[in-house]
Each structure stands twice: as C-alpha cells, then as structure tokens.
Amino acid sequence: MSQKQLKEAFISNLNGTSLLEISAGLSLPPLCLLCRGLLLILYYLHHGKPVSSRKYSLLLDFLVLVAPLLFSCTVLSPIIFYIPVILAAFCAAIFSKIYSQRKREARAPFGQIVKEFQKACLDPEYIPAITVFRVYVNVLTSISILAVDFPQYPRRYAKAETYGTGAMDLGVGAFIFGNALVCPEVRQKSPTTQPRFSSLARQVFSVWPLISLGVGRLLSVKSMEYHEHASEYGLHWNFFFTLALVRLAASLLLAIFPKRKAWLVALAVAVLYQLLLSTTSLKMFILHGSDGRGSRLGFLNANREGLLSLFGYLAIYLASVQVGLWLLRRRSSVGGWLAALRGLALAVLVLSVLLQLCQACTEPVSRRMANLPFCTWVLAHCLLLLGFFVLTDLTLVFTKLLVKGSSVPCCWEVVQPPDSGKKHGMEAVPVGRPDKLSQLCLISAINKNQLLFFLLANVMTGAVNILIDTIHSKAAFTLCILHLYMFFNCLIMYILHARNIVLKFW
C-alpha cells in the first residue's frame, strides 16, 4: 500500500467510543478553565497584583488550558476517567487555600457568603460561557485533526465510519452549534424595520470566505494527492461547504418563520429527514450509492454524504439558534444564572432520554447521515458542555468575591456590589471591565481570529502530514510535534491580539 492508502486506512472503518467516555472528556475543558482562574486569583492574593508579564500569561494559559487536553487524547487516554477527578481535586485544593488565606477581616460564615453571592449582579451584556465554548470547540478540533493521524490518538476517538459516537463526530456538530449561538438572528437585539430577507442577503455575502476556503481545500487536496476519507463528506465536498450552505438555508428559513419558533422548525426538519431515511431507499443510497456497490459516478453520487447530511446539520443549527436566543435573555444576577443552569441540566436530561428512545426506535447515531439520533446527541452534549462552562464561571465569580480586586480574563465581572458585602465578608470586584493587559489571554486571542485559527490549523496539519510519517511515530516525538503545532498556532493568535489585529475582511 502507498503512504496515501495507509493513512486513509488508518482513519477508516472505525466505530467510535461510549457516551460516558465522551462525557468524561467534556468535563476537562471546564476544569482546565477553573484551574487557570483559581491560579490567577491565588497569585493575586499572594502578590497583590495580577500576572503582569505577557510571556508568562501565555505560558500559563497554554500549559493549563491546552496541554492537558493534548495529553488526555493521546498518552493519558487509557486513564481518561481519572483525569477529571485529579483536576477537580487540584482545583478544590487551590480554592481551599484561597478561602483559608483571605484577609482575616473578610471572614464570614460560609452560608452567609453563599446568600450574598446569589444577590451579586453580573454584566448582562457579556456571557463568557458562549465565548469559551466556541474557542474550546476550535481548540479541540485543531488538536484532533492532526492528532488523529498519529497512533497515540485512540482510534475510538476518531470519526466513526457509519454508526458510532467518536469524539471527532461530536466536534463537527459542536462547530455548527457554536456558530449558531452567535449568528445575526441571535445577536439582533430587537425587531427592525428592515426588509424581511435583508439578513439573508447579508449572509450570502458573509459566507463567501467559507466557500472560498472550501474551494481552496478541494484544489489543494486533489493537486497534492493528500489522503482523504471519501465516506466522510464525499469526493468533492468538505466541511467549509457544509457550514456555508447550512448558514444560508437557516437564514432563509428564519426569514420565513419566526425565529422564536426555530426549535419547531428544527424538529420538523430532523423528524422529516429521519422519516425519509427510515421509510425510503435514501439510507441505502447514502451508504451504498445508486448502484448499491458504492458508486461515485456523478456529482450527487460522489458527494452524497455531504449533500444529504445538510438536513441534519440544518436541524442542529436551527435548534442552536433557539438556545442562543434563550441564553441572551437579560439575566443580571447570579440567581438568574443559577436558574438558567437548572434549565440547561433539565434540557440535557430530556435530550439524553430522547436519544435513548431515538436509538431504540430508529437507528444508532450516525454522523455520516446526520440522522435524528446524531442531532439529539450533539445537542445534548453541547448543552452539557455549555452548562459546565456556566458553572465554572459562577464558581470563579464566587472566588473573586472572596479576594478584593482580583480578576480573571473571560469571566463575569460583578457590576454592582451587594449592599451588605463588606459587612459579611463579601468583597466585590471593582465595577467596570478589566484593563487591556488583564484581557490578554489565550481565549480572547483565539476568539478574535477564530476562522484564521482554524484555517492555520488545517494548513499546518497538511504540512506536518506531508513532511512526517505520522502513523509510525513514537509517543515522545508525537507529543513534541503536537505541542509545537498548537503552541505556534496559539502564539500567532496571541501576537495578533496583543497588537489588536483582526484579520477579517468580509
């Protein structure tokens, strides 16, 4: 077999992993974020000032926010269920140290502190969990697209061939989910007098970079004879095309139907598509082509997975629009967000039950077809991750209230201190946003140039695969390559952010 064939076989005929293992993996990013925030607060408690060095700030962010994820999906994957326990214990130890070492005059009964914390007012215009969710989906995707070509990346985490739940299968759906959370239909705060289809016209213009990137990827892959998995999207299709067309189709539907009913449109699309899969020959066509033997003759045959899975991804996008609208409801208090957290937990529970019912009544999860179980699974786990991030942010807000003046980048700020804060030992963070230096964090940097980050990761992945025999690499060499790859990408984003450069020209 040629090197190209070896690499294609290396990522083919896989079956995914368990839902429990994926859920355990989803707890890692929030725990890493919590660990970083607690370390920054502890540093402030000891030194009376935030970390002032940009170099050390970048190093801390990379070592705490990114490196643990690299290890957990490679050499530490056999103990993936123990890693969240270890990180949680470490975070608990840091919090205990902060709580015991805060100023003596600030000490108060823990119960009273909790009551005052619930009355704290947060910035209603900024929801850090959305930003962090989108950034981490990008980071995890960037790690996986290169790591999957190395033997240290478990095959069960890679995309499943037909049925199964691989970590990378979830990543594709999460990317759609994250984009919908900040789409124009969600960010539009109030009804306008603009024509009904004006948003659609703007979307037509805004997706041209995605289409250009899709064409560029297609031409580069074909010209260099780069290895590709035909049953993933087809011979000519790729994820850039999927994302562009889903955004256009969603804008069209949301121009016709009220956006407040987006979940109903999503449900209708997902159910109708599943009915077609279950009651017609559509499923057989997707899996085996028009001749039943995997034919790739003709554009539709050649790209049947990419074209027909658009219906499933469209359903995910529309449902995510509804989630975005719900999250952006004005909540200015901790109590309001605790109620929202309970709502997220209930939604995850309901979707998890529906997932089991869907798989029992129809078929297993299939990213290749983007069927109803896949849509349900993606929404359940994305809401789970989002809920973890909200819980992390609230925990950091509570900890910051114990240490006067401390701040954590990409975390809520208390905009109105409780009246009785000082009396009971609660010390509110100063009103207003942190200064520019404290905002120079890796999350903000990646968030500012997300498409560039993803594009750069794709280019660097291609370069590494061309230059290195990845499938025969040793563990130490693999870890060095992956860390250099991610650090270089993060460093570029950090430098651009420090110079306030946003490479967006559309």
Side-chain angles (χ1 to χ4, degrees), residues 369-496:
M369 292 181 281
N371 57 4
L372 180 59
F374 174 76
C375 298
T376 309
W377 172 56
V378 167
L379 290 172
H381 278 71
C382 285
L383 289 176
L384 177 65
L385 181 56
L386 201 56
F388 282 158
F389 282 131
V390 172
L391 180 60
T392 297
D393 287 330
L394 291 174
T395 305
L396 290 176
V397 168
F398 180 84
T399 311
K400 287 193 297 179
L401 289 171
L402 298 174
V403 182
K404 183 178 180 180
S406 62
S407 66
V408 178
C410 290
C411 178
W412 267 309
E413 295 299 324
V414 175
V415 295
Q416 181 183 338
D419 294 336
S420 56
K422 290 188 178 180
K423 178 181 177 182
H424 295 295
M426 292 282 291
E427 297 180 325
V429 178
V431 175
R433 293 191 179 277
D435 59 28
K436 183 180 177 182
L437 182 61
S438 67
Q439 285 297 299
L440 280 174
C441 74
L442 192 55
I443 293 171
S444 299
I446 296 173
N447 183 56
K448 216 165 197 176
N449 286 288
Q450 288 214 46
L451 185 57
L452 177 65
F453 182 83
F454 185 58
L455 177 61
L456 187 58
N458 275 269
V459 172
M460 291 170 64
T461 295
V464 170
N465 270 280
I466 291 171
L467 298 172
I468 295 173
D469 179 12
T470 56
I471 60 177
H472 295 111
S473 298
K474 302 297 183 183
F477 181 74
T478 297
L479 290 174
C480 286
I481 292 296
L482 290 175
H483 278 83
L484 286 173
Y485 153 78
M486 285 303 298
F487 185 78
F488 181 71
N489 203 346
C490 292
L491 177 62
I492 292 176
M493 298 303 109
Y494 198 83
I495 292 172
L496 291 175

Side-chain angles (χ1 to χ4, degrees), residues 210-462:
L210 292 172
I211 295 175
S212 300
L213 291 173
V215 172
R217 176 179 171 78
L218 171 63
L219 295 176
S220 59
V221 166
K222 298 300 182 184
S223 63
M224 294 188 296
E225 294 189 354
Y226 190 77
H227 67 278
E228 54 184 332
H229 193 189
S231 66
E232 185 176 348
Y233 295 107
L235 293 182
H236 313 106
W237 204 260
N238 58 58
F239 186 67
F240 291 113
F241 292 141
T242 292
L243 188 55
L245 288 193
V246 164
R247 285 177 58 177
L248 287 177
S251 293
L252 176 60
L253 289 174
L254 293 173
I256 299 172
F257 301 99
K259 62 182 182 181
R260 296 288 176 184
K261 302 295 182 182
W263 71 274
L264 283 174
V265 184
L267 183 62
V269 171
V271 170
L272 287 174
Y273 177 53
Q274 183 60 52
L275 284 174
L276 288 173
L277 288 173
S278 301
T279 60
T280 69
S281 59
L282 185 61
K283 183 195 301 186
M284 296 303 295
F285 172 71
I286 295 174
L287 298 180
H288 306 293
S290 57
D291 63 352
R293 291 178 292 181
S295 170
R296 293 287 173 180
L297 295 176
F299 182 77
L300 182 58
N301 252 324
N303 303 286
R304 54 184 183 269
E305 293 91 351
L307 291 168
L308 292 170
S309 64
L310 287 172
F311 293 102
Y313 291 124
L314 177 60
I316 293 171
Y317 190 98
L318 290 168
S320 306
V321 167
Q322 191 75 61
V323 174
L325 291 170
W326 178 75
L327 284 173
L328 289 180
R329 290 180 185 174
R330 194 173 182 84
R331 299 180 183 88
S332 58
S333 68
V334 167
W337 278 104
L338 287 172
L341 195 58
R342 290 192 291 271
L344 285 171
L346 179 61
V348 170
L349 179 61
V350 170
L351 286 169
S352 298
V353 173
L354 286 176
L355 173 59
Q356 299 304 319
L357 290 175
C358 286
Q359 292 195 102
C361 298
T362 56
E363 58 186 344
V365 171
S366 173
R367 172 206 45 83
R368 186 173 175 182
M369 292 181 281
N371 57 4
L372 180 59
F374 174 76
C375 298
T376 309
W377 172 56
V378 167
L379 290 172
H381 278 71
C382 285
L383 289 176
L384 177 65
L385 181 56
L386 201 56
F388 282 158
F389 282 131
V390 172
L391 180 60
T392 297
D393 287 330
L394 291 174
T395 305
L396 290 176
V397 168
F398 180 84
T399 311
K400 287 193 297 179
L401 289 171
L402 298 174
V403 182
K404 183 178 180 180
S406 62
S407 66
V408 178
C410 290
C411 178
W412 267 309
E413 295 299 324
V414 175
V415 295
Q416 181 183 338
D419 294 336
S420 56
K422 290 188 178 180
K423 178 181 177 182
H424 295 295
M426 292 282 291
E427 297 180 325
V429 178
V431 175
R433 293 191 179 277
D435 59 28
K436 183 180 177 182
L437 182 61
S438 67
Q439 285 297 299
L440 280 174
C441 74
L442 192 55
I443 293 171
S444 299
I446 296 173
N447 183 56
K448 216 165 197 176
N449 286 288
Q450 288 214 46
L451 185 57
L452 177 65
F453 182 83
F454 185 58
L455 177 61
L456 187 58
N458 275 269
V459 172
M460 291 170 64
T461 295

